[in-house]
Amino acid sequence: MSFPPSQHVRVAGVGAYLPERVVTNEELSASLDTSHEWILSHTGIHQRHLAAPGESASSMGLLAARRALEDAHLLPGDLAMVIVTTSTADYASYPSTAAIIQGNLGAVNAGAFDLNAACAGFAYGVAMGKCYCQAQGRPVLVVASEVNSRILDWHDRGTCVLFGDGAGAVVLAPSSRPGMLHEVLGADGTGAGYLVREAGLRTPEDILRPPGFVRMDGRAVFQFAVRAMENVIRRLLSETGHGLEDIQHFIPHQANGRILDAVARNMGLAPERFFRNIQHVANTSSASIPIALAELRRQGALKQGDLILTVAFGAGLVYGGSLLRWEAEG
Ligand code: ACO
């Protein structure tokens, strides 16, 4: 079977999955030197969902993927590629979480690979997925799935209160009209030390160490995040000839409400223009944007022709975003 390359690509379906267990700030305060007031005032977070022992990046991602395919009215066999963005893969090296999802989904005509750009993974995933969809003229599934709870030091109040678990997915499909309009990706690797998971194989002895936790210079990451998000938004708009007022939905990575307030202030934007669900999901890393997109989709808030701007940053340090037009039909 041969398929012509497709000029345009749209987001044809969205899905998400959040684990059932909800942990409130009050519950965390019972075992940690913190308080609901501190967490809420410093981050905007009320609660987070945490994965059950039997759940993993692949099992949560599979559920989000099925929902996205259903939303797109497509079958697993239609897919040309399964891309999974995660920092908490089922296996440290291989097999990829994407291969596990591809197998469990029955996406028999698709390739599969994982992509790690930390919390900006989804921005990178859709940019790569768009290219492959265009080249092959067939749909691509991008899944973002994170079990952050497994890499947190639950004694470190500076990090563990910030994150949650969950998965989101989109199906990118060839389209007669432009849906994915523009992408911006970037990095500043000189800041790699600011946000690190202490696990890896830099020396032979590392194989003997216990799996490491997330360590972060919160202030440095905060400052980078504000600069990077503003930069991505300005570039997406200026490179497509749009203004702030043209955008119906700003969907930022949900890392900290105060970061969003600072970006809004710097850009002269009302803070409520940024979609927020951080209060009930916390920071779900690369899954945060597709989870937010699925929430808006479920609410019926995405209307034909709406312009959606997504923007994220993450460990690396990396950043990225995309400008989409919501095209309900291809
Ligand atoms: N409860 C109570 N007190 C706390 C807590 C907590 N959970 N965490 C830190 N504190 C204390 C600190 O110990 C410190 O106390 P001290 O003054 O006695 O030393 C005080 O609060 C201030 O600590 P700071 O770290 O300076 O607090 P800050 O106002 O910078 O807020 C935060 C910390 C929320 C982490 C902020 O820096 C931030 O959000 N940074 C960005 C983090 C981020 O976005 N990370 C993810 C990036 S990418 C990705 O998503 C993987």
Side-chain angles (χ1 to χ4, degrees):
M1 219 176 333
S2 77
F3 299 88
S6 166
Q7 202 188 344
H8 301 303
V9 175
R10 72 184 176 109
V11 174
V14 191
Y17 170 79
L18 290 169
E20 204 175 307
R21 181 167 168 233
V22 169
V23 176
T24 62
N25 294 344
E26 281 85 358
E27 269 178 88
L28 284 184
S29 311
S31 57
L32 195 67
D33 182 15
T34 187
S35 65
H36 170 64
E37 291 67 31
W38 193 97
I39 300 171
L40 184 61
S41 62
H42 284 73
T43 69
I45 297 166
H46 283 251
Q47 60 170 57
R48 70 284 296 141
H49 291 251
L50 297 186
E55 293 184 307
S56 67
S58 71
S59 73
M60 296 194 304
L62 179 67
L63 293 172
R66 285 194 175 128
R67 289 171 186 173
L69 277 169
E70 197 179 319
D71 190 37
H73 305 293
L74 289 171
L75 298 170
D78 296 328
L79 296 170
M81 184 62 73
V82 177
I83 301 175
V84 173
T85 74
T86 183
S87 302
T88 52
D90 286 19
Y91 294 88
S93 302
Y94 48 78
S96 68
T97 302
I100 296 168
I101 292 178
Q102 182 265 356
N104 290 335
L105 205 54
V108 292
N109 301 311
F113 71 99
D114 283 3
L115 178 160
N116 184 346
C119 298
F122 183 74
Y124 277 70
V126 293
M128 299 304 120
K130 174 187 174 182
C131 296
Y132 200 68
C133 180
Q134 258 168 343
Q136 298 286 313
R138 289 198 293 142
V140 170
L141 173 70
V142 181
V143 182
S145 186
E146 307 278 10
V147 269
N148 289 312
S149 57
R150 305 245 164 95
I151 57 168
L152 293 171
D153 176 354
W154 287 96
H155 300 291
D156 176 13
R157 66 181 184 174
T159 53
C160 74
V161 304
L162 304 174
F163 295 91
D165 299 334
V170 293
V171 177
L172 309 179
S175 171
S176 58
R177 288 196 295 256
M180 292 193 66
L181 302 179
H182 192 51
E183 297 75 37
V184 164
L185 301 176
D188 178 4
T190 63
Y194 291 139
L195 184 49
V196 173
R197 182 183 165 211
E198 296 165 342
L201 295 169
R202 292 183 306 289
T203 68
E205 294 74 37
D206 281 351
I207 195 81
L208 302 170
R209 289 200 195 149
F213 295 125
V214 175
R215 298 284 173 217
M216 172 175 77
D217 179 337
R219 288 262 166 102
V221 175
F222 194 107
Q223 284 166 10
F224 166 79
V226 173
R227 277 197 317 273
M229 288 179 116
E230 180 175 348
N231 175 273
V232 171
I233 296 171
R234 290 201 188 283
R235 278 188 57 193
L236 283 170
L237 293 175
S238 67
E239 290 169 16
T240 56
H242 287 285
L244 286 168
E245 63 287 354
D246 297 332
I247 307 299
Q248 277 73 41
H249 309 280
F250 287 97
I251 307 184
H253 171 44
Q254 307 284 311
N256 184 328
R258 286 195 310 159
I259 292 176
L260 303 185
D261 290 342
V263 177
R265 201 166 44 242
N266 292 352
M267 302 195 72
L269 205 60
E272 57 275 13
R273 292 278 274 121
F274 285 127
F275 176 81
R276 290 176 207 226
N277 61 359
I278 191 171
Q279 58 280 6
H280 63 91
V281 298
N283 181 348
T284 56
S285 223
S286 73
S288 84
I289 288 174
I291 288 173
L293 201 55
E295 201 170 310
L296 282 168
R297 174 88 171 120
R298 262 199 323 277
Q299 292 167 358
L302 304 178
K303 308 281 186 235
Q304 170 65 32
D306 278 0
L307 282 179
I308 303 166
L309 190 152
T310 71
V311 51
F313 66 94
L317 296 165
V318 296
Y319 53 89
S322 58
L323 186 67
L324 316 171
R325 189 180 294 284
W326 187 255
E327 287 290 351
E329 302 296 331

